[in-house]
Amino acid sequence: AQSVSQHNHHVILSEAASLELGCNYSYGGTVNLFWYVQYPGQHLQLLLKYFSGDPLVKGIKGFEAEFIKSKFSFNLRKPSVQWSDTAEYFCAVRGTGRRALTFGSGTRLQVQP
Amino acid sequence: DAGVIQSPRHEVTEMGQEVTLRCKPISGHNSLFWYRQTMMRGLELLIYFNNNVPIDDSGMPEDRFSAKMPNASFSTLKIQPSEPRDSAVYFCASSPTGADNEKLFFGSGTQLSVL
């Protein structure tokens, strides 16, 4: 079975601070990895994804994530957050050959102006 | 394309009542997913369909929950009878086959409150 752990449930940062949200997954094979964002009152949107190749992937709005296979991790980063980044962030994993994504429990990010 | 369309956006009902949530996937997408989001458990996969056939319903919490996909453009998630612990946001998502099948397109969700 595949599973995802997000260690930070609630993160509060000031604007311009750097962000790193942790994500670890469990799956006994090759995986596809995703980060989704849910802004207040909106539905989930894809931020970035990793399938293969360069383990450092860049997404929208200045976000990036690094896949470290040896650590089963896919942490999300942003060098300088903005107030508009306030949202809930979900890491997700999908084993190759499977259709459904398994999501982590989410991390609520609050950016204070 | 209008995206994945869910209805209703909000549903408030009393315990014991039947609740039916509806979803229209994006035209041409052959996979449809139902997820439930709660504060306690985050986003959970309930069931997904491929070509209108249920593939994995292991996430359906109990027999009170049922889902159908009678055709490629419509799916329902039914709870009968509903209970307060079913209160959550229910998301429907669809994805295409082929090169874009990693993309999961979510609807706006149905906020369900069972009193």
Side-chain angles (χ1 to χ4, degrees), chain A residues 80-102:
Chain A
S80 176
V81 295
Q82 301 172 312
W83 177 79
S84 58
D85 294 324
T86 294
E88 192 152 14
Y89 293 81
F90 293 90
C91 182
V93 63
R94 183 178 69 185
T96 52
R98 296 174 61 92
R99 295 292 292 167
L101 273 65
T102 298

Side-chain angles (χ1 to χ4, degrees), chain A residues 17-85:
Chain A
S18 64
L19 170 72
E20 181 160 2
L21 302 182
C23 172
N24 286 92
Y25 68 92
S26 173
Y27 184 71
T30 306
V31 294
N32 307 140
L33 295 158
F34 308 81
W35 275 97
Y36 281 81
V37 60
Q38 186 178 27
Y39 296 104
Q42 299 186 26
H43 55 274
L44 286 161
Q45 303 171 42
L46 181 65
L47 258 185
L48 49 79
K49 63 184 186 291
Y50 171 80
F51 270 41
S52 63
D54 188 344
L56 184 63
V57 293
K58 296 191 183 298
I60 59 173
K61 303 186 181 185
F63 286 91
E64 64 180 31
E66 184 175 13
F67 171 51
I68 303 179
K69 189 175 181 180
S70 60
K71 295 184 178 180
F72 297 90
S73 70
F74 191 56
N75 292 355
L76 181 71
R77 300 195 293 248
K78 185 170 184 179
S80 176
V81 295
Q82 301 172 312
W83 177 79
S84 58
D85 294 324

Side-chain angles (χ1 to χ4, degrees), chain B residues 9-78:
Chain B
R9 288 295 304 275
H10 301 275
E11 175 85 24
V12 180
T13 191
E14 290 184 341
M15 183 175 63
Q17 297 297 305
E18 177 181 295
V19 174
T20 300
L21 311 181
R22 297 173 176 79
C23 176
K24 182 180 186 311
I26 293 174
S27 177
H29 285 192
N30 73 331
S31 293
L32 182 140
F33 307 80
W34 282 101
Y35 284 89
R36 177 172 68 177
Q37 183 180 29
T38 61
M39 289 287 289
M40 294 296 293
R41 293 186 297 274
L43 203 58
E44 305 170 279
L45 175 66
L46 299 177
I47 185 172
Y48 80 92
F49 296 83
N50 198 40
N51 293 323
N52 311 340
V53 176
I55 302 300
D56 182 356
D57 65 354
S58 58
M60 296 285 263
E62 47 196 278
D63 292 344
R64 297 184 296 107
F65 285 70
S66 62
K68 293 182 179 179
M69 192 165 185
N71 57 62
S73 59
F74 184 65
S75 176
T76 58
L77 177 68
K78 185 177 292 187

Side-chain angles (χ1 to χ4, degrees), chain A residues 43, chain B residues 1-6 24-27 29 94 105-108:
Chain A
H43 55 274
Chain B
D1 198 313
V4 176
I5 299 173
Q6 290 186 247
K24 182 180 186 311
I26 293 174
S27 177
H29 285 192
S94 68
F105 295 79
F106 281 83
S108 300

Side-chain angles (χ1 to χ4, degrees), chain B residues 71-101:
Chain B
N71 57 62
S73 59
F74 184 65
S75 176
T76 58
L77 177 68
K78 185 177 292 187
I79 309 172
Q80 167 62 21
S82 58
E83 296 182 3
R85 59 193 169 113
D86 302 331
S87 299
V89 181
Y90 291 80
F91 286 100
C92 176
S94 68
S95 71
T97 53
D100 284 336
N101 68 359

